[in-house]
Amino acid sequence: MLSETSRRQVLPLNHHWKYRETFDESFIDPNYDDGPWVMVNIPHTNKELPYSYFDEKSYQFVSTYRKTFTVDSVLHNERIFADFGAVMAYAEVYLNGQFLGSHKGGYTPFSVDLTDQIDLDRENTMVVKVDSRERDDIPPFGHMIDYLCYGGIYRDVSLRIVDPLHIKNVFAKPQKVLYQEKELETSVFVVNTTGEAADVVLEIKLSKDKKPIAAANRRVTLPADTEMAFDVYLRNLGGVELWDIQSPHLYELEVCLKRQDQLTDTYTTRVGFREAVVKPDGFYLNGEKVMLRGLNRHQSFPYVGYAMPKRVQRKDADILKYELGLNVVRTSHYPQSNHFLDRCDEIGLLVFEEIPGWQYIGDNEWQEVAKNNVREMIERDWNHPSIFLWGVRINESLDNHDFYKETNRIARELDPTRQTGGVRYLEKSEFLEDVYTMNDFIHSGGEIRLRDPRQVTGTEEYVPYMVCEFNGHMYPTKRFDQEERVVEHAMRHLRVQDAAARDPHIAAAIGWCAFDYNTHYDFGSGDRICHHGVMDMFRIPKMAAHVYASQMDPRERVVLEPATLWSRGDRSVGGVLPLVIFTNCDAVEVLVQGESIGTYYPRSEEFPGVPHAPVMITEIPSSGEWGSAWPSVEFVGYLDGKKVASKAFTKDAVPTRLTAEADDDQLDADGIDATRIVFKLVDQVGNPLSYTTEAVQIEVEGEGTLIGPSVSALVGGVLGVWVKTTETAGEIRVKARTNSQVARPVVITTK
Ligand code: GAL
């Protein structure tokens, strides 16, 4: 597998694992014959699941992954590690029959040192026993949880080969960010397992798009068999551009470790220079106040749970930023994929990341794992400029002085550059963090939208304060629910966002939640889904999504979304009034049967907090009584007097086309890469038929496989599937049909 010797090699170990849905001691034996086992690639879910109505126990079992590999290079006493991105929920790792390490916790990375067991002359067998049961000794388990923790080795695995004198981690801390001349304090964590003291030079280089900007070095002595951190500074950094939401400038940092002029290791990371702080009067990014408007994200997907590859993880960040126009996401309720976070860095989407947990605090042993989660989360993610806050409490748990004093201490000691938060739903809970992060579910449709922060915190003065959840279970709504409900769902998001933006002491309003998610039977709509998203599990927008999208600057994207299916008899009594139009246009003209009936303007007096209040129409001639003729309609959006958007509805919708659209037309032929395809059964003017009962039959030809079933009912007129590549380059052709329509085949090339 390895052909040449070099100082640091990171080799993906995602391919060709043997997998079995059970465990037996005999599987650890390197000579065990796993021939009949299935071959899988990582990320892998231990069990593919239906879309809804499944028994969550079906993935809660112990399974085994086996991987054989060779390291056929001449090594000079290098150390060899296996790095696991995440394994749910407990893992034991064996190499060539020997137990080498274990890890508790399904959301954070761990490494196992293989050096002493590895055989350089022949094949090595790594066996991972994966316990995906909800074990009482591991957060978030021990009580009920409103989400599923899908099993398996669901994040990347790699082999890392390093010199015995190597860099374990680097924490790059931008300083004097708002000065003309900035600084970068870089803590380099160095390991010396050479058995003797070593004089080394640490060299750091900052560059942008490969163009060098600054460099510095420091000579240090490392005693034998130690792990130590050294700070190296880059000062007087002129011309460095800030990382922000609009222009997220990123720089590359390379750290080299040299001994007697010999390079022994290189470590690279990215850096963004920004100052992000929550104050009692709001959130400030680089000294400017920004209202944080966002949603919570669960990292789950239909069928494969957590096991989606890099491209799909990155796509979620794009959806949040570019389709929903958010500037912040909370990674509820655990650290999420590094691919997702990398993308947040690249596109300027702020992140509030938190440790795993949900309402329940376990015993001491459990709490130790949680404290360790704080360390693992921060040490993994401290170089992401998008992350501005560490969540160091178990979401919505009760106060626990000693435990939370300690989680805060750990976070502040590891990372003095970021504030801590810890999400609670209790008023006047003990405020040990820097930011009081509150789930405020007070709004249930009436006048009251949010609580006064001081009522919540019980403090005389205002403190840094964020609302981290609202809505959710207060008003579960399916995309295909009746019109009055989907409109009210949207209005609740709008009302709370508006209220938060009007209160100068609320820094953020992060709604519950971005995407629907599968859950335990104790929660949700009985179908094992919490229909709490502003998008469904396929990431298809509900009406409430347009509340968020319409807040975007129209120069980025024009949004014109009348909150209606435009039908005579879906609402109680009939008609579509009052009609709300979520838009960032400055005027909307309505044409009924081709005749203009008037131009309408945003209700900014009613919703002064949000950048773009909706348009509301209370009268449309001939769209009223039951029994009168039903017309077609067109809405035309204007900006500065210019027509910029239009949206039509037909009076007599019938299935006219089955559209099929893939997020990507090129994928990597690696047996891992995947992309989403969305099918819509639409009417004459392109609107999905929300209440259709037709099913879609899907056929995948060529170098791809379907994730999920090949026959599935449309959900509110739409169906999403994901297609995964094989390891052979070529073409994937996806064909689909319903009873009435055949889609144009989707063609994806794989390289
Ligand atoms: C909150 C909880 C979330 C979710 C939400 C539903 O209490 O933190 O995980 O369950 O309720 O509204």
Side-chain angles (χ1 to χ4, degrees):
M1 161 185 241
L2 254 181
S3 50
E4 63 189 66
T5 312
S6 70
R7 281 305 156 186
R8 169 179 287 248
Q9 295 184 73
V10 178
L11 306 154
L13 207 62
N14 291 323
H15 286 94
H16 307 167
W17 289 72
K18 288 302 198 69
Y19 172 67
R20 201 160 154 194
E21 287 185 7
T22 178
F23 171 78
D24 187 272
E25 292 293 328
S26 61
F27 300 166
I28 297 170
D29 183 345
N31 298 318
Y32 179 87
D33 176 18
D34 61 16
W37 294 21
V38 282
M39 177 102 85
V40 302
N41 290 343
I42 310 285
H44 180 252
T45 190
N46 67 345
K47 187 96 191 164
E48 283 214 14
L49 298 160
Y51 178 77
S52 58
Y53 289 108
F54 55 84
D55 180 356
E56 61 260 29
K57 285 269 182 282
S58 60
Y59 65 84
Q60 292 166 20
F61 54 78
V62 183
S63 59
T64 311
Y65 292 76
R66 293 180 104 251
K67 167 81 195 151
T68 52
F69 61 96
T70 51
V71 183
D72 48 65
S73 73
V74 191
L75 292 174
H76 309 277
N77 64 12
E78 274 92 343
R79 310 296 303 180
I80 307 180
F81 297 90
D83 294 336
F84 292 83
V87 181
M88 184 66 73
Y90 168 77
E92 274 174 20
V93 181
Y94 298 83
L95 188 71
N96 302 331
Q98 282 298 312
F99 171 77
L100 290 186
S102 65
H103 184 259
K104 282 185 182 179
Y107 295 100
T108 44
F110 62 95
S111 298
V112 178
D113 190 341
L114 310 179
T115 318
D116 296 338
Q117 266 306 312
I118 211 146
D119 197 328
L120 298 180
D121 301 321
R122 57 179 73 88
E123 201 164 65
N124 293 277
T125 303
M126 180 145 72
V127 177
V128 188
K129 172 183 170 185
V130 177
D131 187 349
S132 303
R133 292 171 302 179
E134 301 193 344
R135 297 163 49 125
D136 283 357
D137 56 339
I138 300 176
F141 309 122
H143 196 57
M144 294 188 303
I145 321 161
D146 170 26
Y147 54 92
L148 300 181
C149 306
Y150 307 87
I153 304 182
Y154 75 88
R155 285 188 196 146
D156 300 334
V157 185
S158 46
L159 270 194
R160 175 169 43 102
I161 304 175
V162 286
D163 192 275
L165 199 52
H166 64 269
I167 301 167
K168 193 174 174 195
N169 203 343
V170 167
F171 184 10
K173 290 165 266 191
Q175 314 277 337
K176 296 197 179 170
V177 166
L178 301 185
Y179 288 68
Q180 199 65 20
E181 306 222 310
K182 309 183 197 323
E183 295 188 352
L184 188 69
E185 177 190 331
T186 305
S187 303
V188 187
F189 297 80
V190 190
V191 178
N192 176 13
T193 53
T194 57
E196 54 190 49
D199 290 325
V200 300
V201 175
L202 298 171
E203 238 178 55
I204 68 173
K205 292 178 214 154
L206 188 72
S207 56
K208 173 116 202 230
D209 305 327
K210 306 236 152 66
K211 277 216 262 9
I213 291 180
N217 58 58
R218 180 173 170 193
R219 193 173 287 279
V220 297
T221 303
L222 272 164
D225 303 317
T226 45
E227 198 179 305
M228 284 173 82
F230 300 95
D231 290 340
V232 189
Y233 291 86
L234 288 176
R235 298 192 206 272
N236 308 322
L237 295 170
V240 167
E241 290 178 286
L242 295 178
W243 183 96
D244 70 19
I245 292 167
Q246 279 81 33
S247 316
H249 290 283
L250 290 172
Y251 292 80
E252 302 100 47
L253 182 72
E254 188 182 84
V255 181
C256 298
L257 180 63
K258 288 183 176 167
R259 187 187 196 184
Q260 290 156 359
D261 286 336
Q262 281 273 323
L263 184 66
T264 78
D265 198 10
T266 307
Y267 189 104
T268 53
T269 183
R270 293 194 298 194
V271 192
F273 290 76
R274 97 279 179 280
E275 186 193 86
V277 52
V278 187
K279 298 183 183 174
D281 68 339
F283 172 75
Y284 288 80
L285 183 61
N286 302 329
E288 270 179 46
K289 189 165 169 170
V290 179
M291 179 63 207
L292 295 177
R293 187 172 41 245
L295 293 165
N296 285 270
R297 175 198 187 231
H298 267 305
Q299 63 175 15
S300 54
F301 291 85
Y303 317 122
V304 290
Y306 288 163
M308 277 294 188
K310 178 173 173 178
R311 185 185 303 273
V312 181
Q313 301 289 344
R314 289 169 63 85
K315 177 72 186 175
D316 260 8
D318 284 352
I319 290 172
L320 299 176
K321 167 98 180 180
Y322 299 117
E323 288 184 36
L324 294 173
L326 310 183
N327 55 20
V328 68
V329 56
R330 171 173 169 226
T331 63
S332 53
H333 300 296
Y334 36 76
Q336 301 192 351
S337 158
N338 55 316
H339 301 306
F340 175 76
L341 296 170
D342 282 345
R343 189 63 184 156
C344 292
D345 291 342
E346 290 164 20
I347 63 178
L349 179 61
L350 289 155
V351 179
F352 169 21
E353 189 171 49
E354 67 187 356
I355 53 169
W358 202 82
Q359 293 195 347
Y360 166 80
I361 301 174
D363 61 11
N364 284 341
E365 193 189 338
W366 188 103
Q367 289 176 31
E368 285 311 312
V369 181
K371 289 176 201 168
N372 208 30
N373 284 160
V374 175
R375 285 184 204 99
E376 292 168 329
M377 169 177 79
I378 294 177
E379 287 176 349
R380 188 193 69 164
D381 288 336
W382 53 23
N383 290 327
H384 289 286
S386 56
I387 297 177
F388 70 102
L389 187 65
W390 300 121
V392 300
R393 277 188 181 234
I394 302 305
N395 171 62
E396 294 191 335
S397 53
L398 300 181
D399 283 347
N400 185 321
H401 180 82
D402 293 345
F403 178 38
Y404 289 139
K405 223 178 126 210
E406 186 56 13
T407 58
N408 273 283
R409 189 198 61 76
I410 296 169
R412 289 178 181 132
E413 190 181 290
L414 287 172
D415 180 5
T417 74
R418 284 180 182 86
Q419 292 172 304
T420 62
V423 177
R424 72 286 307 286
Y425 64 98
L426 295 172
E427 290 189 3
K428 302 179 187 63
S429 92
E430 194 188 10
F431 187 35
L432 297 165
E433 293 76 29
D434 303 312
V435 185
Y436 200 107
T437 38
M438 173 73 179
N439 290 347
D440 189 352
F441 285 100
I442 193 93
H443 182 59
S444 59
E447 276 307 299
I448 307 169
R449 289 155 187 203
L450 286 170
R451 281 174 262 205
D452 179 73
R454 279 181 312 184
Q455 175 197 329
V456 174
T457 58
T459 51
E460 243 161 66
E461 302 292 321
Y462 286 104
V463 300
Y465 184 87
M466 291 177 23
V467 173
C468 297
E469 290 184 33
F470 57 88
N471 282 354
H473 65 287
M474 302 298 288
Y475 209 73
T477 303
K478 299 170 198 71
R479 194 163 46 74
F480 48 93
D481 268 337
Q482 193 246 8
E483 189 162 300
E484 282 155 310
R485 190 171 187 95
V486 294
V487 175
E488 172 59 12
H489 181 230
M491 291 308 286
R492 287 181 180 214
H493 277 275
L494 176 67
R495 285 183 216 122
V496 178
Q497 286 294 351
D498 179 65
R502 284 157 76 173
D503 188 331
H505 306 290
I506 299 179
I510 307 177
W512 191 263
C513 57
F515 314 127
D516 290 350
Y517 53 97
N518 288 123
T519 190
H520 290 83
Y521 69 85
D522 314 273
F523 300 94
S525 298
D527 54 356
R528 303 295 208 281
I529 299 175
C530 266
H531 298 270
H532 296 178
V534 306
M535 291 180 147
D536 68 10
M537 292 203 287
F538 303 126
R539 282 70 174 147
I540 306 297
K542 302 178 191 175
M543 222 55 101
H546 307 317
V547 169
Y548 290 88
S550 60
Q551 304 315 322
M552 291 172 84
D553 186 330
R555 283 169 302 191
E556 267 171 67
R557 193 175 140 216
V558 177
V559 175
L560 175 67
E561 295 288 351
T564 182
L565 299 172
W566 195 260
S567 62
R568 151 73 76 234
D570 195 41
R571 294 195 187 194
S572 322
V573 191
V576 296
L577 301 174
L579 177 61
V580 187
I581 304 172
F582 297 111
T583 185
N584 48 11
C585 294
D586 51 31
V588 177
E589 187 184 15
V590 183
L591 296 101
V592 176
Q593 290 290 118
E595 297 265 318
S596 175
I597 60 147
T599 299
Y600 304 82
Y601 301 92
R603 294 280 184 105
S604 311
E605 334 71 55
E606 237 170 288
F607 299 99
V610 291
H612 299 283
V615 169
M616 284 193 195
I617 303 176
T618 48
E619 248 184 278
I620 297 180
S622 62
S623 75
E625 301 119 69
W626 190 246
S628 59
W630 186 246
S632 292
V633 70
E634 189 190 352
F635 300 87
V636 181
Y638 292 89
L639 272 173
D640 298 325
K642 269 218 283 304
K643 177 174 168 177
V644 288
S646 121
K647 169 107 187 180
F649 293 90
T650 177
K651 60 185 178 187
D652 52 359
V654 289
T656 307
R657 268 179 315 138
L658 178 66
T659 64
E661 206 180 322
D663 288 340
D664 303 273
D665 54 16
Q666 268 195 29
L667 297 175
D668 299 332
D670 60 1
I672 291 172
D673 201 5
T675 192
R676 179 182 61 163
I677 302 177
V678 173
F679 301 102
K680 294 183 184 167
L681 186 61
V682 300
D683 64 17
Q684 303 89 310
V685 291
N687 294 321
L689 297 164
S690 205
Y691 300 134
T692 182
T693 56
E694 287 201 45
V696 186
Q697 213 175 317
I698 306 165
E699 241 178 278
V700 178
E701 291 171 357
E703 299 308 332
T705 56
L706 189 64
I707 297 178
S710 57
V711 180
S712 208
L714 287 154
V715 185
V718 183
L719 182 72
V721 298
W722 282 262
V723 175
K724 187 159 115 174
T725 59
T726 65
E727 285 166 41
T728 311
E731 201 176 85
I732 307 176
R733 282 176 82 81
V734 185
K735 296 183 184 165
R737 59 181 310 139
T738 66
N739 285 339
S740 62
Q741 305 297 325
V742 179
R744 277 236 311 268
V746 173
V747 182
I748 299 168
T749 48
T750 75
K751 288 192 172 146

